[in-house]
Each structure stands twice: as C-alpha cells, then as structure tokens.
C-alpha cells in the first residue's frame, strides 16, 4: 500500500522548500524501498508579508485570512478521510494557521535532547495550540481592537491525554516521571485548576500546574529533571522554545522541524510537519534559504509514516558529512545555495534500493 503525504505551500520561500521536500522524499523513498505519493494543495497560502502587501484594508485582510484558513482546513480534512499518513507545511500566515489549529485542536510536539545525552534527559514539550490568546478572535471599532479567547475543559482534557500518550511514546519503559503544565491559570477564576485536577485523578498521575515564571525559575535553579513533559500554553511555549533549544536541544532553531498533531476526532490524529523557521520572504527566489529543517521533516515523514525504516539515521549521517565539509547556506556561515546543500546531501546518501512496487512489477 502506497502512503499518501500532503504538501501545503505558503508564500515567501515556501515554493523553494516544497521542491526540496519532494526531492528528498523521493530519494529517501528509493533508498529505503518505499514509494510515498505526495499530494500538493492547489492553493498557495499567504505569508504575513504577502497578506499585508495584497490586502486592501482590514476587512480584506480578514477575508483573505479566513479564505486561507478554510481552504487549508478542508485540505487537511480531505487527507484524513483518505487515510493520509501526514502533511508537510511550509510557513503560512499565523492568523490563518491558528484558526485551523483552534478548529482542529492542534498540539505541537517537540523533543529536546543534546546529542549523546541519555534518553532520560530529554525534555518533551507539548504546546497547546488549540486555545488561548493565539486562537483568539478580533473585533474592530474605531481606534480599538478587542481580542477574545476561549479555554474549554474538553480541549484541555484532549491536550493532557495526548501529552501523557507522547510521554509513553518517548519513554516506553515507564512513561514520564514528571508532568508540568505552564499556563497563566491564575487569570481563569480557578476553573482551569479544577479541570487539571480532575484530569490528573482520572489518569492517576501527578500534574504540577504552575505559572510560566515559576517554571522558568525552577528550570534555571534546578535544571531539567529526568523524563519531564512540559505541557505549555502557547503564549509561553512559543516565546520559550528557542531558549529551551539553547539549553536542552543543542541545535539552532532554523535547523529543526516539529510535528503538530490534530486531535479533533474527524482528523484521526493527522500529523503535520513544519519547519521551525518562518516564511523568510526576504529570501524568496534567491536560492539561499536554509533547507536543513525541511530535509529533516522529509526524513521523519518517510520513516514514521511511510514505512521507510532508517530514513532519519541515513539523513542525519548525510547532514553531518555535508556540514563537516562546510557546505552551508549563508545563515549558517556558509557560502552555498539551497540547491548546493541539497545536491551535496543527496550525493552523500547511499545508492537507492529498488522500490517494492518496482520489484513487484518486474516479477510480473
């Protein structure tokens, strides 16, 4: 059975990175004996800068934002109905994206661990993208913008249940030792505290609900306890992500990809991969955007969702070899183009095996 993978492309450097994704998926598929089918969304979605450039005032910006959100939501729903393995998305306008994340109940999952460290030393960060300020709605009056947001017990329960499941996935021999939630819960009349307490009792686990500044202080004073899951309101998680990477991930933000999981029942856990960096509109068309995060997303999709065992390891070996030779884009201190880096990476990969489908055709 051929796995279907969705591909959604935003403005800015999105088209360049989409081409990188397709090249790497095809090569890794051949190398690991699988044949993923990539389905591109027919719409190229706005970045923030393209939206600002093309929208004729606030009302038009709101219309274009909703159009993009509605289209991408329908694209993801269609992929899920067909049983698609995953979707890779380049950067798009955050306001459209968070409309989709709210409607489809998204969480972002990122494992941070320094190279060579024990698996027990990893930090598992689960960001709640389905509620809070980022998913708020705007109302306009002359000189005034009012943004309202919503929290719900149902969504909170979904996020906690998924975080616990991710802890078992990360540490299958016992799950997480510590579960911390970083939310501004003191602003929510005690309701959020009650939801978390009930969820902890239901799952028979201990959950520490803390103010974000308390979590920061404890990390600074005591470091990272073993097997820790941090479930974060997105307001804190977004700001702290690069800091946590610096302290616990030993990697640049621009080189990383992350996964978002849609928890809405209609999506059946569809996984969306993205680069951590944004649309980089200023680099569009110059063939200088850093492709490393996109390459890693391609490897994760092939291995985790297309039965291409070993794709991540072979990709990391090739990336290490290319980096050691100094084949890098300008943002990493190199002088090479995006195409140069990808060409060098593909040349480092072993010779592809014959795909299963090709062997079957040859046998017939």
């Amino acid at each position: 059975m051929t796995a279907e993978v969705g591909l959604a492309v935003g403005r800015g450097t999105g088209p360049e990175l989409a081409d990188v994704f397709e090249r790497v998926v095809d090569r890794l598929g051949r190398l690991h004996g699988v044949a993923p089918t990539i389905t591109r969304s027919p719409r190229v979605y706005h970045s923030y800068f393209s939206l600002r450039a093309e929208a004729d005032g606030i009302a038009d910006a709101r219309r274009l934002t909703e159009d993009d959100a509605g289209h991408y939501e329908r694209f993801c729903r269609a992929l899920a109905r067909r049983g698609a393995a995953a979707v890779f998305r380049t950067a798009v306008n955050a306001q459209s994206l968070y409309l989709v994340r709210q409607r489809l109940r998204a969480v972002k999952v990122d494992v941070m661990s320094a190279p060579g460290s024990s698996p027990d030393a990893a930090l598992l960060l689960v960001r709640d993208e389905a509620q809070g300020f980022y998913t708020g709605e705007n109302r306009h009056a002359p000189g005034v913008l009012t943004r309202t947001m919503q929290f719900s017990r149902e969504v909170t329960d979904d996020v906690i249940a998924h975080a616990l499941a991710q802890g078992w996935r990360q540490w299958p021999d016992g799950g997480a030792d510590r579960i911390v939630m970083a939310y501004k819960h003191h602003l929510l009349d005690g309701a959020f505290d009650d939801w978390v307490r009930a969820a902890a009792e239901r799952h028979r686990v201990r959950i520490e609900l803390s103010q974000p500044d308390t979590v920061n202080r404890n990390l600074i004073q005591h470091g990272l306890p073993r097997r820790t899951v941090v479930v974060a309101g997105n307001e804190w998680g977004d700001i702290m992500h690069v800091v946590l990477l610096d302290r616990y991930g030993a990697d640049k933000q621009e080189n990383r990809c992350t996964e978002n999981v849609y928890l809405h029942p209609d999506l059946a856990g569809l996984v969306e991969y993205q680069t951590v960096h944004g649309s980089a509109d200023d680099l569009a068309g110059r063939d200088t955007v850093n492709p490393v995060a996109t390459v890693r997303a391609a490897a994760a999709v092939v291995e985790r969702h297309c039965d291409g065992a070993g794709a991540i390891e072979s990709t990391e070996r090739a990336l290490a070899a290319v980096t050691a030779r100094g084949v890098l884009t300008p943002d990493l201190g190199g002088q090479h183009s995006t195409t140069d880096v990808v060409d060098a990476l593909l040349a480092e990969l072993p010779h592809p095996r014959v795909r299963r489908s090709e062997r079957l055709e040859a046998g017939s």
Side-chain angles (χ1 to χ4, degrees):
M1 179 178 175
T2 299
E4 181 184 11
V5 175
L7 174 58
V9 185
R11 303 282 187 95
T13 56
E16 297 167 66
L17 293 175
D19 291 343
V20 170
F21 180 78
E22 289 185 319
R23 287 187 68 192
V24 176
V25 166
D26 179 71
R27 180 59 185 277
L28 288 175
R30 292 180 178 277
L31 175 60
H32 295 279
V34 295
T37 297
I38 297 178
T39 302
R40 275 205 193 207
S41 171
R43 186 184 187 96
V44 179
Y45 304 97
H46 276 289
S47 68
Y48 176 75
F49 295 101
S50 71
L51 181 74
R52 290 286 295 162
E54 295 182 19
D56 183 16
I58 292 174
D60 195 39
R62 289 167 64 85
R63 178 186 63 81
L64 292 172
T65 295
E66 177 58 47
D67 287 349
D68 274 354
H71 190 282
Y72 185 54
E73 179 184 355
R74 292 190 296 273
F75 179 64
C76 289
R77 287 181 176 274
L79 288 171
R81 284 195 299 270
R82 294 196 299 269
V87 57
F88 172 69
R89 174 189 53 74
T90 71
V92 302
N93 176 34
Q95 194 168 351
S96 298
L97 181 60
Y98 275 98
L99 287 173
V100 178
R101 287 174 166 172
Q102 179 183 34
R103 295 166 185 171
L104 301 184
R105 301 185 184 179
V107 294
K108 181 175 289 186
V109 181
D110 200 0
V111 179
M112 302 180 189
S113 59
S117 62
S118 164
D120 286 352
L123 168 66
L124 175 59
L125 176 63
V126 178
R127 281 167 52 178
D128 178 357
E129 301 174 306
Q131 52 189 356
F133 178 80
Y134 281 48
T135 59
E137 296 183 359
N138 297 334
R139 297 197 313 274
H140 292 268
V144 177
L145 185 155
T146 303
R147 187 166 181 83
T148 59
M149 68 192 76
Q150 176 176 292
F151 288 87
S152 81
R153 179 170 188 163
E154 183 179 5
V155 172
T156 303
D157 285 347
D158 284 349
V159 172
I160 290 173
H162 187 75
L164 294 175
Q166 288 289 337
W168 280 102
R169 173 183 165 189
Q170 177 67 22
W171 301 289
D173 60 339
D177 286 351
R178 190 179 185 201
I179 303 155
V180 179
M181 295 186 68
Y183 283 78
K184 292 297 293 182
H185 60 98
H186 287 179
L187 302 178
L188 303 177
D189 297 328
F192 199 83
D193 304 55
D194 293 343
W195 300 343
V196 172
R197 187 181 305 110
E201 292 174 356
R202 186 168 58 256
H203 292 286
R204 298 182 179 179
V205 296
R206 180 171 178 264
I207 299 176
E208 304 170 35
L209 179 59
S210 298
Q211 291 288 323
D213 60 329
T214 302
V215 177
N216 292 349
R217 183 192 65 211
N218 290 340
L219 287 172
I220 291 170
Q221 289 184 347
H222 307 297
L224 181 68
R226 69 190 301 274
R227 297 190 179 211
T228 298
V229 176
V230 176
V231 185
N234 210 30
E235 297 78 10
W236 179 84
D238 191 23
I239 293 170
M240 288 298 296
H241 187 254
V242 68
V243 178
L244 295 172
L245 279 176
D246 180 69
R247 183 170 287 253
Y248 302 115
D251 198 1
K252 291 182 177 292
Q253 181 178 1
E254 293 78 10
N255 286 345
R256 292 181 66 93
C257 68
T258 56
E259 63 177 54
N260 305 279
V261 182
Y262 290 116
L263 304 182
H264 192 288
D266 292 348
L267 274 292
L270 179 73
V271 180
E272 174 201 87
Y273 289 85
Q274 66 167 97
T275 60
V276 174
H277 61 73
S279 56
D281 292 60
D282 58 320
L283 301 181
R286 295 169 55 183
D287 196 26
T288 57
V289 62
N290 182 348
V292 173
T294 300
V295 167
R296 285 178 163 153
V301 167
V302 170
E303 175 159 330
R304 297 171 185 167
H305 305 280
C306 303
D307 199 27
I312 294 175
E313 182 181 356
S314 60
T315 299
E316 289 300 323
R317 284 199 304 265
L319 281 171
V322 169
T323 300
R325 297 201 335 252
V327 182
L328 304 167
T329 47
D331 64 300
L332 298 179
Q335 298 180 347
H336 294 80
S337 69
T338 305
T339 303
D340 290 338
V341 174
V342 176
D343 286 347
L345 170 86
L346 297 182
E348 286 288 342
L349 292 172
H351 189 72
R353 300 202 308 257
V354 178
R355 284 175 172 164
R356 296 170 190 169
S357 58
E358 294 170 350
R359 290 201 301 269
L360 292 172
E361 290 174 3
S364 64

